[in-house]
Amino acid sequence: MNPIRPLLRGAALRNPLKLSSQILSRAFISTVPTSIAGFLDFKPHEPVSDVKVDGFVRSVRAQKRFHFVSLGDGSSLEPLQAVVPADQAEGLTLGAAVRLHGSWSPSQGRGQSHELQVQRTILLGPSDAKTFPIQKKYQTPEYLRTLPHLRSRIPFNSAVLRFRSEIIASLTKFFGSREFTQTHTPILTSSDCEGAGEVFHISTGDPAPSSSSSKTPKSFFRRPVYTTVSAQLHLEALAQALGNVWTLSPTFRAEQSDTPRHLSEFYMLEAEMSFTDNMGSVMDLVEDMVRHICTDLAGSRVRDELLVRTGERSSDLATAEQVSQRWEGLIRKDWSRITYTEAIELLKASETPFVHSPIWGKDLHTEHEKYIAMKVGNGNSPVFVTNYPRDIKAFYMKANADASAPGATVECFDLLVPDFCEIAGGSMREHRLESLLQSMRSHGMTPESFSDGAVESSQPAENNLSWYIDLRRWGCPPHGGFGLGFDRLICYLSGVQTIHDTSAFPRWYGRCDC
């Protein structure tokens, strides 16, 4: 017999458990919602007294005896209606942060099943309604982009940010079920993954030498450093230590583009699969991942809210029917897969008058990608385009043994979706040392300059890839991975027409407002 049990039994008899009224009260309160979304779902048949609601005033309709206040807290597209006695309504102005005490009761009016009958109000953060920039009337997305610190208070904008959060939670669940390790890759890097040169350079203060000294200031990192354009190279290093890995991290492009599809700071979802020599498995992972997100969130509150179209704001979004079709297309199984060569042949056979003629060896333009998504995917299902020409793709992609193509190709893919074109891309990585070095030379890079001796004997290389080459020297297995534009995916699934409106604080060419 356990000698501790009698002691515990005796202690229990000497000190019988007593539940205080405070504990019981807490247990009762815990069943009452704490968010406005929770209250809107909470529909008791009888009034529930002594409840507290925190939120921001969205609108006020004043009458002689009562003020009808619409309250939001970011948890719901729909507001909560509070009925406030006129003598308690002082300070309840547009934008004010308030705490309301009262009873949650079935509503006598139309438009809501329940309402808050207020007994006491507390003004937590006053607001001057005359100067508050966010008004109840329609305001254009262009105007709201000048107020990045306030525009998330627009109910639909807050819904997009909640949707963003729920996708991240869904992704975490998906990768956890596949035994992928989540990692955090660096934002500052000495390597330009894409080699396109569209990077932001990191420096401290004024790089010019001071007038009192002719010495050139010492670089903070002792070599050129940039903000990252992709986590891929670092993920490849981690995959050799951890196996399958993934990350969701900010990336940066100094591309002077002001289009609805470009940001200077954006998030990339990237994953690397170790010990795989089949690109089909990488595409399967992308397909399963996106399908999981759509299946997982299909019945969520925020998904339903994203389909709501009211007033003038509906013209800023894709129609609810379009968005529903996108979700249905992503849930479908067995997405189409065609090679780049087959895509070029399809485009050449088309009677569509393309602005840019489809030519093998050239990048596909947006008009080409839209046609492929419509023709091959029937306008509602994604399409993988594989095996692009080597010369238009990055140096790290594995050479392909495709004898049917007119020229050398690499094992890679782009994922095209209807309406929005490319949202993801991936490849098998060149894991063989000599093949990687040859690929670098064919792309105009000189891998010899990345050797340790060259770095020590001269100025540090502008693009430091010596460590990346080292990964091939000591136990580099076949591997592949992908990157998905996270903000573009949110655009596609929410119906938002521009990537500038999927981020809380967007940065793009010419704009960094706060």
mmCIF file of all heavy atoms in Angstrom, residues 99-127:
data_model
loop_
_atom_site.group_PDB
_atom_site.id
_atom_site.type_symbol
_atom_site.label_atom_id
_atom_site.label_comp_id
_atom_site.label_asym_id
_atom_site.label_seq_id
_atom_site.Cartn_x
_atom_site.Cartn_y
_atom_site.Cartn_z
ATOM 1 N N ARG A 99 -16.484 50.300 -21.866
ATOM 2 C CA ARG A 99 -16.865 49.075 -21.140
ATOM 3 C C ARG A 99 -18.306 49.247 -20.691
ATOM 4 O O ARG A 99 -18.636 50.225 -20.004
ATOM 5 C CB ARG A 99 -15.951 48.849 -19.953
ATOM 6 C CG ARG A 99 -16.341 47.657 -19.069
ATOM 7 C CD ARG A 99 -15.233 47.340 -18.085
ATOM 8 N NE ARG A 99 -14.035 46.887 -18.795
ATOM 9 C CZ ARG A 99 -12.819 46.908 -18.275
ATOM 10 N NH1 ARG A 99 -12.628 47.400 -17.047
ATOM 11 N NH2 ARG A 99 -11.798 46.470 -18.958
ATOM 12 N N LEU A 100 -19.142 48.311 -21.097
ATOM 13 C CA LEU A 100 -20.567 48.403 -20.794
ATOM 14 C C LEU A 100 -20.977 47.248 -19.890
ATOM 15 O O LEU A 100 -20.637 46.085 -20.158
ATOM 16 C CB LEU A 100 -21.394 48.359 -22.091
ATOM 17 C CG LEU A 100 -21.026 49.401 -23.158
ATOM 18 C CD1 LEU A 100 -21.932 49.250 -24.378
ATOM 19 C CD2 LEU A 100 -21.102 50.815 -22.604
ATOM 20 N N HIS A 101 -21.707 47.580 -18.833
ATOM 21 C CA HIS A 101 -22.246 46.583 -17.915
ATOM 22 C C HIS A 101 -23.760 46.556 -18.056
ATOM 23 O O HIS A 101 -24.411 47.600 -18.195
ATOM 24 C CB HIS A 101 -21.881 46.917 -16.465
ATOM 25 C CG HIS A 101 -20.419 46.847 -16.180
ATOM 26 N ND1 HIS A 101 -19.808 45.730 -15.669
ATOM 27 C CD2 HIS A 101 -19.426 47.770 -16.352
ATOM 28 C CE1 HIS A 101 -18.510 45.960 -15.526
ATOM 29 N NE2 HIS A 101 -18.254 47.193 -15.925
ATOM 30 N N GLY A 102 -24.341 45.360 -18.021
ATOM 31 C CA GLY A 102 -25.781 45.266 -18.129
ATOM 32 C C GLY A 102 -26.231 43.829 -18.251
ATOM 33 O O GLY A 102 -25.552 42.902 -17.790
ATOM 34 N N SER A 103 -27.371 43.630 -18.913
ATOM 35 C CA SER A 103 -27.923 42.285 -19.090
ATOM 36 C C SER A 103 -28.026 41.969 -20.574
ATOM 37 O O SER A 103 -28.388 42.832 -21.391
ATOM 38 C CB SER A 103 -29.291 42.173 -18.415
ATOM 39 O OG SER A 103 -30.232 43.058 -19.016
ATOM 40 N N TRP A 104 -27.699 40.720 -20.903
ATOM 41 C CA TRP A 104 -27.787 40.234 -22.291
ATOM 42 C C TRP A 104 -29.166 39.614 -22.462
ATOM 43 O O TRP A 104 -29.484 38.592 -21.859
ATOM 44 C CB TRP A 104 -26.678 39.216 -22.535
ATOM 45 C CG TRP A 104 -26.587 38.694 -23.937
ATOM 46 C CD1 TRP A 104 -26.733 37.412 -24.337
ATOM 47 C CD2 TRP A 104 -26.325 39.455 -25.130
ATOM 48 N NE1 TRP A 104 -26.570 37.303 -25.703
ATOM 49 C CE2 TRP A 104 -26.310 38.546 -26.210
ATOM 50 C CE3 TRP A 104 -26.086 40.807 -25.381
ATOM 51 C CZ2 TRP A 104 -26.082 38.942 -27.528
ATOM 52 C CZ3 TRP A 104 -25.858 41.202 -26.693
ATOM 53 C CH2 TRP A 104 -25.864 40.289 -27.745
ATOM 54 N N SER A 105 -29.993 40.275 -23.283
ATOM 55 C CA SER A 105 -31.419 39.951 -23.308
ATOM 56 C C SER A 105 -31.914 39.730 -24.735
ATOM 57 O O SER A 105 -31.381 40.320 -25.687
ATOM 58 C CB SER A 105 -32.229 41.098 -22.681
ATOM 59 O OG SER A 105 -31.720 41.444 -21.410
ATOM 60 N N PRO A 106 -32.952 38.903 -24.890
ATOM 61 C CA PRO A 106 -33.605 38.799 -26.193
ATOM 62 C C PRO A 106 -34.084 40.167 -26.646
ATOM 63 O O PRO A 106 -34.605 40.958 -25.852
ATOM 64 C CB PRO A 106 -34.773 37.847 -25.928
ATOM 65 C CG PRO A 106 -34.330 37.025 -24.751
ATOM 66 C CD PRO A 106 -33.523 37.959 -23.908
ATOM 67 N N SER A 107 -33.890 40.466 -27.931
ATOM 68 C CA SER A 107 -34.202 41.794 -28.440
ATOM 69 C C SER A 107 -35.654 41.894 -28.883
ATOM 70 O O SER A 107 -36.217 40.957 -29.456
ATOM 71 C CB SER A 107 -33.286 42.123 -29.621
ATOM 72 O OG SER A 107 -33.623 43.365 -30.186
ATOM 73 N N GLN A 108 -36.242 43.055 -28.618
ATOM 74 C CA GLN A 108 -37.607 43.340 -29.072
ATOM 75 C C GLN A 108 -37.610 43.922 -30.484
ATOM 76 O O GLN A 108 -38.642 43.938 -31.151
ATOM 77 C CB GLN A 108 -38.280 44.334 -28.103
ATOM 78 C CG GLN A 108 -38.366 43.843 -26.669
ATOM 79 C CD GLN A 108 -39.183 42.574 -26.542
ATOM 80 O OE1 GLN A 108 -40.232 42.445 -27.149
ATOM 81 N NE2 GLN A 108 -38.682 41.620 -25.754
ATOM 82 N N GLY A 109 -36.455 44.403 -30.925
ATOM 83 C CA GLY A 109 -36.385 45.046 -32.235
ATOM 84 C C GLY A 109 -35.985 44.082 -33.332
ATOM 85 O O GLY A 109 -35.712 42.893 -33.109
ATOM 86 N N ARG A 110 -35.932 44.593 -34.546
ATOM 87 C CA ARG A 110 -35.535 43.783 -35.685
ATOM 88 C C ARG A 110 -34.030 43.918 -35.941
ATOM 89 O O ARG A 110 -33.421 44.902 -35.573
ATOM 90 C CB ARG A 110 -36.309 44.210 -36.934
ATOM 91 C CG ARG A 110 -37.811 43.944 -36.837
ATOM 92 C CD ARG A 110 -38.518 44.440 -38.089
ATOM 93 N NE ARG A 110 -38.361 45.883 -38.276
ATOM 94 C CZ ARG A 110 -38.800 46.548 -39.341
ATOM 95 N NH1 ARG A 110 -39.401 45.893 -40.325
ATOM 96 N NH2 ARG A 110 -38.624 47.856 -39.428
ATOM 97 N N GLY A 111 -33.466 42.914 -36.591
ATOM 98 C CA GLY A 111 -32.071 42.999 -36.996
ATOM 99 C C GLY A 111 -31.106 42.257 -36.104
ATOM 100 O O GLY A 111 -29.954 42.039 -36.480
ATOM 101 N N GLN A 112 -31.527 41.885 -34.892
ATOM 102 C CA GLN A 112 -30.662 41.130 -33.996
ATOM 103 C C GLN A 112 -31.526 40.313 -33.047
ATOM 104 O O GLN A 112 -32.644 40.721 -32.714
ATOM 105 C CB GLN A 112 -29.741 42.052 -33.193
ATOM 106 C CG GLN A 112 -30.440 43.014 -32.242
ATOM 107 C CD GLN A 112 -31.041 44.226 -32.937
ATOM 108 O OE1 GLN A 112 -30.475 44.729 -33.889
ATOM 109 N NE2 GLN A 112 -32.198 44.677 -32.456
ATOM 110 N N SER A 113 -31.017 39.150 -32.662
ATOM 111 C CA SER A 113 -31.798 38.282 -31.770
ATOM 112 C C SER A 113 -31.685 38.731 -30.323
ATOM 113 O O SER A 113 -32.624 38.562 -29.536
ATOM 114 C CB SER A 113 -31.331 36.832 -31.901
ATOM 115 O OG SER A 113 -29.997 36.692 -31.427
ATOM 116 N N HIS A 114 -30.513 39.285 -29.954
ATOM 117 C CA HIS A 114 -30.284 39.727 -28.591
ATOM 118 C C HIS A 114 -29.602 41.085 -28.592
ATOM 119 O O HIS A 114 -29.016 41.504 -29.600
ATOM 120 C CB HIS A 114 -29.409 38.716 -27.835
ATOM 121 C CG HIS A 114 -30.115 37.442 -27.491
ATOM 122 N ND1 HIS A 114 -30.522 36.541 -28.448
ATOM 123 C CD2 HIS A 114 -30.492 36.921 -26.282
ATOM 124 C CE1 HIS A 114 -31.117 35.521 -27.874
ATOM 125 N NE2 HIS A 114 -31.106 35.718 -26.552
ATOM 126 N N GLU A 115 -29.666 41.759 -27.464
ATOM 127 C CA GLU A 115 -29.018 43.058 -27.310
ATOM 128 C C GLU A 115 -28.589 43.234 -25.865
ATOM 129 O O GLU A 115 -29.056 42.517 -24.967
ATOM 130 C CB GLU A 115 -29.958 44.185 -27.728
ATOM 131 C CG GLU A 115 -31.236 44.249 -26.915
ATOM 132 C CD GLU A 115 -32.288 45.178 -27.521
ATOM 133 O OE1 GLU A 115 -32.110 45.590 -28.674
ATOM 134 O OE2 GLU A 115 -33.293 45.444 -26.833
ATOM 135 N N LEU A 116 -27.698 44.171 -25.653
ATOM 136 C CA LEU A 116 -27.219 44.449 -24.304
ATOM 137 C C LEU A 116 -28.027 45.605 -23.720
ATOM 138 O O LEU A 116 -27.992 46.729 -24.246
ATOM 139 C CB LEU A 116 -25.730 44.803 -24.335
ATOM 140 C CG LEU A 116 -25.076 45.046 -22.967
ATOM 141 C CD1 LEU A 116 -25.007 43.755 -22.166
ATOM 142 C CD2 LEU A 116 -23.684 45.638 -23.139
ATOM 143 N N GLN A 117 -28.756 45.330 -22.666
ATOM 144 C CA GLN A 117 -29.481 46.372 -21.938
ATOM 145 C C GLN A 117 -28.526 46.933 -20.883
ATOM 146 O O GLN A 117 -28.209 46.288 -19.892
ATOM 147 C CB GLN A 117 -30.735 45.795 -21.283
ATOM 148 C CG GLN A 117 -31.775 45.275 -22.253
ATOM 149 C CD GLN A 117 -32.504 46.401 -22.982
ATOM 150 O OE1 GLN A 117 -32.514 47.564 -22.503
ATOM 151 N NE2 GLN A 117 -33.109 46.090 -24.114
ATOM 152 N N VAL A 118 -28.051 48.152 -21.138
ATOM 153 C CA VAL A 118 -26.943 48.703 -20.357
ATOM 154 C C VAL A 118 -27.442 49.385 -19.090
ATOM 155 O O VAL A 118 -28.410 50.165 -19.118
ATOM 156 C CB VAL A 118 -26.130 49.693 -21.216
ATOM 157 C CG1 VAL A 118 -25.023 50.337 -20.392
ATOM 158 C CG2 VAL A 118 -25.548 48.977 -22.433
ATOM 159 N N GLN A 119 -26.770 49.060 -17.968
ATOM 160 C CA GLN A 119 -27.037 49.749 -16.700
ATOM 161 C C GLN A 119 -25.910 50.728 -16.332
ATOM 162 O O GLN A 119 -26.161 51.722 -15.650
ATOM 163 C CB GLN A 119 -27.183 48.728 -15.563
ATOM 164 C CG GLN A 119 -28.558 48.072 -15.476
ATOM 165 C CD GLN A 119 -28.580 46.716 -16.167
ATOM 166 O OE1 GLN A 119 -27.649 45.938 -16.013
ATOM 167 N NE2 GLN A 119 -29.632 46.438 -16.913
ATOM 168 N N ARG A 120 -24.696 50.430 -16.804
ATOM 169 C CA ARG A 120 -23.571 51.297 -16.423
ATOM 170 C C ARG A 120 -22.557 51.331 -17.569
ATOM 171 O O ARG A 120 -22.271 50.305 -18.183
ATOM 172 C CB ARG A 120 -22.912 50.773 -15.147
ATOM 173 C CG ARG A 120 -21.779 51.658 -14.616
ATOM 174 C CD ARG A 120 -21.462 51.280 -13.172
ATOM 175 N NE ARG A 120 -20.942 49.929 -13.069
ATOM 176 C CZ ARG A 120 -19.647 49.615 -12.969
ATOM 177 N NH1 ARG A 120 -18.733 50.593 -12.954
ATOM 178 N NH2 ARG A 120 -19.250 48.368 -12.855
ATOM 179 N N THR A 121 -22.029 52.516 -17.837
ATOM 180 C CA THR A 121 -21.015 52.667 -18.887
ATOM 181 C C THR A 121 -19.737 53.235 -18.282
ATOM 182 O O THR A 121 -19.783 54.051 -17.357
ATOM 183 C CB THR A 121 -21.488 53.598 -20.011
ATOM 184 O OG1 THR A 121 -21.629 54.930 -19.489
ATOM 185 C CG2 THR A 121 -22.813 53.129 -20.606
ATOM 186 N N ILE A 122 -18.606 52.782 -18.823
ATOM 187 C CA ILE A 122 -17.304 53.321 -18.429
ATOM 188 C C ILE A 122 -16.566 53.705 -19.702
ATOM 189 O O ILE A 122 -16.361 52.866 -20.590
ATOM 190 C CB ILE A 122 -16.474 52.283 -17.640
ATOM 191 C CG1 ILE A 122 -17.234 51.835 -16.382
ATOM 192 C CG2 ILE A 122 -15.115 52.864 -17.268
ATOM 193 C CD1 ILE A 122 -16.533 50.723 -15.620
ATOM 194 N N LEU A 123 -16.199 54.960 -19.800
ATOM 195 C CA LEU A 123 -15.444 55.439 -20.956
ATOM 196 C C LEU A 123 -13.960 55.184 -20.704
ATOM 197 O O LEU A 123 -13.347 55.829 -19.856
ATOM 198 C CB LEU A 123 -15.709 56.931 -21.176
ATOM 199 C CG LEU A 123 -15.008 57.575 -22.376
ATOM 200 C CD1 LEU A 123 -15.475 56.949 -23.683
ATOM 201 C CD2 LEU A 123 -15.259 59.094 -22.373
ATOM 202 N N LEU A 124 -13.376 54.249 -21.455
ATOM 203 C CA LEU A 124 -11.976 53.874 -21.250
ATOM 204 C C LEU A 124 -11.025 54.682 -22.127
ATOM 205 O O LEU A 124 -9.881 54.927 -21.734
ATOM 206 C CB LEU A 124 -11.795 52.381 -21.546
ATOM 207 C CG LEU A 124 -12.629 51.425 -20.690
ATOM 208 C CD1 LEU A 124 -12.421 49.994 -21.154
ATOM 209 C CD2 LEU A 124 -12.260 51.571 -19.219
ATOM 210 N N GLY A 125 -11.487 55.047 -23.317
ATOM 211 C CA GLY A 125 -10.646 55.813 -24.235
ATOM 212 C C GLY A 125 -11.520 56.731 -25.073
ATOM 213 O O GLY A 125 -12.201 56.271 -25.998
ATOM 214 N N PRO A 126 -11.547 58.028 -24.765
ATOM 215 C CA PRO A 126 -12.422 58.945 -25.496
ATOM 216 C C PRO A 126 -11.981 59.114 -26.944
ATOM 217 O O PRO A 126 -10.833 58.863 -27.307
ATOM 218 C CB PRO A 126 -12.304 60.259 -24.718
ATOM 219 C CG PRO A 126 -10.972 60.176 -24.037
ATOM 220 C CD PRO A 126 -10.751 58.731 -23.736
ATOM 221 N N SER A 127 -12.916 59.529 -27.785
ATOM 222 C CA SER A 127 -12.638 59.759 -29.201
ATOM 223 C C SER A 127 -13.427 60.968 -29.673
ATOM 224 O O SER A 127 -14.617 61.094 -29.376
ATOM 225 C CB SER A 127 -13.033 58.529 -30.027
ATOM 226 O OG SER A 127 -12.951 58.795 -31.412
#
